[in-house]
Amino acid sequence: MKQDMIAVVDLGSTRNTDVARAVRALGVYSEIYNYDITADELAAIPNLRGIIANGGPNDIVDGVKIGLSDAIRKCGHPVYTFDYSDNGRINEMPADDADIAAALKSFVFDDCKAEPNWNMDNFIADQIELVRRQVGESKVLLALSGGVDSSVVAALLLKAIGKQLTCVHVNHGLLRKGEPEQVVRVFKDELNANLVYVDASERFLSKLEGVSDPEKKRKIIGAEFIRVFEEEARKLDGIEFLAQGTIYPDIVESGTKTAKMVKSHHNVGGLPEDLQFELVEPLKMLFKDEVRACGKALGLPDNMVYRQPFPGPGLGVRCLGAITRDRLEAVRESDAILREEFDNYGLTGKVWQFFTIVPDFKSVGVRDNARCFDWPVIIRAVNTVDAMTAEVPELPWEVLSKITRRILSEVPNVNRVCLDMSPKPTATIEWE
């Protein structure tokens, strides 16, 4: 690794990502480590320049108060503490990332003597070297959804290992309208990638039949994904690695040693224990905005880099409760209308993410002068930088009115359209 490093040690904080991002904002690379990391493990981190001990309310684990060991304090690297008693002195965590960065500036550059050499060119060079070292002459299978994360992984791996990479695009029946065709066109026809297309929609929908618990749905989808890849790998020679577009918010939300799970991600919490591949995850320590910057540095086009995030389980977590085919189509068609009208009004590049949800309940309405009992459609639109927090943007009433009219007239079995106004926290971006 070419970059200098500041290690953030999690001693029960809820704001580890804020600290890591603030250090990176200073131009210095930073990663987060669990409270039980040893002094020897820290000493083995390449180019480590300093340690930030990050205290907080989750500092009791298995009934024991956690803290920084004497061995780490004496390891020879400067130590800074937030919300943690250090010889009776406590540095309180500032309210926002810019105050945090200001508080750490002297520590990072004066005490740690770190160089501001954290940039995407260095990150890409490091990851290419690490991937080549990990993979050797073996072949890698990439789960290519066509979303931002997997697309950036594909571009990075093509630079690192070229024809050793095989991309597999699985249509699990939970993709947005027209998406499978678009993925094939862009990656196979335009980028000339080795692409295998698998239509497994019936297989996935059968596995999900009658399953209403969101965590069970995510785990079923994640496990089935792996099974499909294993089957495809057996058709190829030399596949030993599975590449994934895991990013840091996926890991945080799936739970750490001091933080409870928000929700599992199919590429973190849903992997089977008997996984037959070694994982390649070059983006796993990047935040969403950094993934986009990485994609730009790799030369990917804007319409790919700034494409909306899409969860691995796809529309399966937007068709709430047990998935039925009529509600799934209602989600797919209403989502297509929403995206079309946001494009028409120039909102696509201004709103970070927007989609529709169809819950598993009906409400009374009136259609053709008669009582009807149909589904509601919920519109969700948010702006965020790193997907850890999100705000709801103000949307023109004209746009919302037109979207509502179109959904009610064009999507079968829908009689109501609602707008979700909840920020993250307390809500999450997705509903499941």
Side-chain angles (χ1 to χ4, degrees), residues 279-292:
L279 293 179
V280 177
E281 300 174 301
L283 307 182
K284 67 181 180 180
M285 294 308 296
L286 293 188
F287 297 97
K288 196 71 180 190
D289 57 319
E290 295 170 334
V291 174
R292 297 186 194 278

Side-chain angles (χ1 to χ4, degrees), residues 30-269:
S30 180
E31 286 188 3
I32 301 166
Y33 295 90
N34 284 317
Y35 69 90
D36 54 359
I37 188 170
T38 67
D40 289 341
E41 289 169 335
L42 281 170
I45 298 173
N47 296 336
L48 181 66
R49 295 290 179 259
I51 300 164
I52 298 173
N54 212 24
N58 299 324
D59 59 354
I60 304 296
V61 177
D62 295 330
V64 178
K65 187 176 180 64
I66 59 177
L68 207 62
S69 70
D70 288 340
I72 290 178
R73 290 180 181 276
K74 298 175 183 177
C75 70
H77 292 294
V79 176
Y80 189 94
T81 62
F82 270 131
D83 295 342
Y84 178 75
S85 178
D86 182 26
N87 295 324
R89 185 183 75 252
I90 298 179
N91 298 310
E92 293 186 2
M93 178 83 70
D96 56 57
D97 288 0
D99 294 345
I100 300 174
L104 291 173
K105 186 174 182 180
S106 176
F107 171 74
V108 170
F109 295 119
D110 297 337
D111 297 348
C112 301
K113 310 298 182 187
E115 294 293 328
N117 51 14
W118 160 239
N119 58 66
M120 278 303 150
D121 288 339
N122 284 345
F123 174 81
I124 290 168
D126 284 344
Q127 292 304 316
I128 287 174
E129 179 182 339
L130 290 171
V131 167
R132 287 174 177 169
R133 190 184 308 162
Q134 179 185 9
V135 170
E137 299 298 319
S138 299
K139 294 180 181 178
V140 179
L141 200 61
L142 169 64
L144 178 59
S145 69
V148 177
D149 303 335
S150 64
S151 298
V152 174
V153 169
L156 196 154
L157 292 182
L158 284 170
K159 279 187 174 290
I161 58 175
K163 293 298 183 180
Q164 293 170 245
L165 175 67
T166 297
C167 299
V168 177
H169 177 58
V170 177
N171 180 1
H172 51 21
L174 304 169
L175 296 173
R176 290 172 286 201
K177 188 174 183 177
E179 200 157 39
E181 297 83 358
Q182 182 186 39
V183 170
V184 172
R185 182 178 69 252
V186 170
F187 287 93
K188 188 173 185 178
D189 300 340
E190 298 178 14
L191 298 183
N192 197 32
N194 292 330
L195 178 65
V196 176
Y197 172 71
V198 182
D199 186 351
S201 53
E202 288 299 322
R203 173 175 174 173
F204 276 83
L205 293 177
S206 296
K207 289 276 186 179
L208 290 165
E209 188 172 352
V211 179
S212 59
D213 181 83
E215 285 304 308
K216 288 182 179 178
K217 286 199 291 186
R218 286 177 177 272
K219 290 181 183 299
I220 287 171
I221 293 168
E224 201 63 20
F225 251 108
I226 298 300
R227 300 308 177 207
V228 172
F229 289 130
E230 286 178 337
E231 291 169 12
E232 293 304 317
R234 283 195 288 269
K235 301 174 185 177
L236 304 168
D237 293 326
I239 298 290
E240 296 182 11
F241 295 87
L242 174 65
Q244 293 193 138
T246 307
I247 65 174
Y248 192 70
D250 297 340
I251 297 172
V252 172
E253 290 188 337
S254 293
T256 65
K257 289 188 176 181
T258 65
K260 294 181 179 179
M261 180 184 71
V262 176
K263 59 184 176 183
S264 68
H265 290 260
H266 74 286
N267 51 359
V268 179

Side-chain angles (χ1 to χ4, degrees), residues 197-400:
Y197 172 71
V198 182
D199 186 351
S201 53
E202 288 299 322
R203 173 175 174 173
F204 276 83
L205 293 177
S206 296
K207 289 276 186 179
L208 290 165
E209 188 172 352
V211 179
S212 59
D213 181 83
E215 285 304 308
K216 288 182 179 178
K217 286 199 291 186
R218 286 177 177 272
K219 290 181 183 299
I220 287 171
I221 293 168
E224 201 63 20
F225 251 108
I226 298 300
R227 300 308 177 207
V228 172
F229 289 130
E230 286 178 337
E231 291 169 12
E232 293 304 317
R234 283 195 288 269
K235 301 174 185 177
L236 304 168
D237 293 326
I239 298 290
E240 296 182 11
F241 295 87
L242 174 65
Q244 293 193 138
T246 307
I247 65 174
Y248 192 70
D250 297 340
I251 297 172
V252 172
E253 290 188 337
S254 293
T256 65
K257 289 188 176 181
T258 65
K260 294 181 179 179
M261 180 184 71
V262 176
K263 59 184 176 183
S264 68
H265 290 260
H266 74 286
N267 51 359
V268 179
L271 296 175
E273 294 181 0
D274 60 344
L275 182 67
Q276 297 180 13
F277 305 113
E278 184 177 336
L279 293 179
V280 177
E281 300 174 301
L283 307 182
K284 67 181 180 180
M285 294 308 296
L286 293 188
F287 297 97
K288 196 71 180 190
D289 57 319
E290 295 170 334
V291 174
R292 297 186 194 278
C294 184
K296 288 287 290 182
L298 287 165
L300 290 176
D302 283 357
N303 63 356
M304 187 177 296
V305 171
Y306 295 106
R307 188 180 185 186
Q308 281 199 40
F310 192 56
L315 301 182
V317 292
R318 296 176 183 173
C319 183
L320 305 185
I323 297 170
T324 60
R325 295 178 190 247
D326 56 351
R327 282 196 304 114
L328 182 60
E329 286 309 304
V331 177
R332 201 186 321 269
E333 292 299 323
S334 61
D335 179 79
I337 291 171
L338 180 69
R339 290 188 289 134
E340 182 180 334
E341 293 303 330
F342 267 47
D343 279 343
N344 291 340
Y345 282 87
L347 293 173
T348 298
K350 298 177 182 177
V351 180
W352 191 81
Q353 189 177 16
F354 46 91
F355 53 89
T356 61
I357 303 125
V358 178
D360 189 15
F361 61 81
K362 294 182 177 181
S363 66
V364 68
V366 178
R367 188 184 303 280
D368 299 327
N369 297 317
R371 181 181 184 274
C372 64
F373 200 55
D374 291 327
W375 313 111
V377 166
I378 301 165
I379 295 173
R380 181 70 162 145
V382 297
N383 279 331
T384 182
V385 173
D386 57 12
M388 300 304 297
T389 61
E391 296 295 331
V392 177
E394 292 187 16
L395 299 173
W397 186 254
E398 179 185 6
V399 181
L400 293 173

Side-chain angles (χ1 to χ4, degrees), residues 400-417:
L400 293 173
S401 295
K402 185 174 181 182
I403 291 168
T404 298
R405 289 195 302 271
R406 286 195 60 192
I407 289 175
L408 293 178
S409 64
E410 298 176 30
V411 181
N413 305 314
V414 169
N415 67 356
R416 200 177 291 267
V417 176

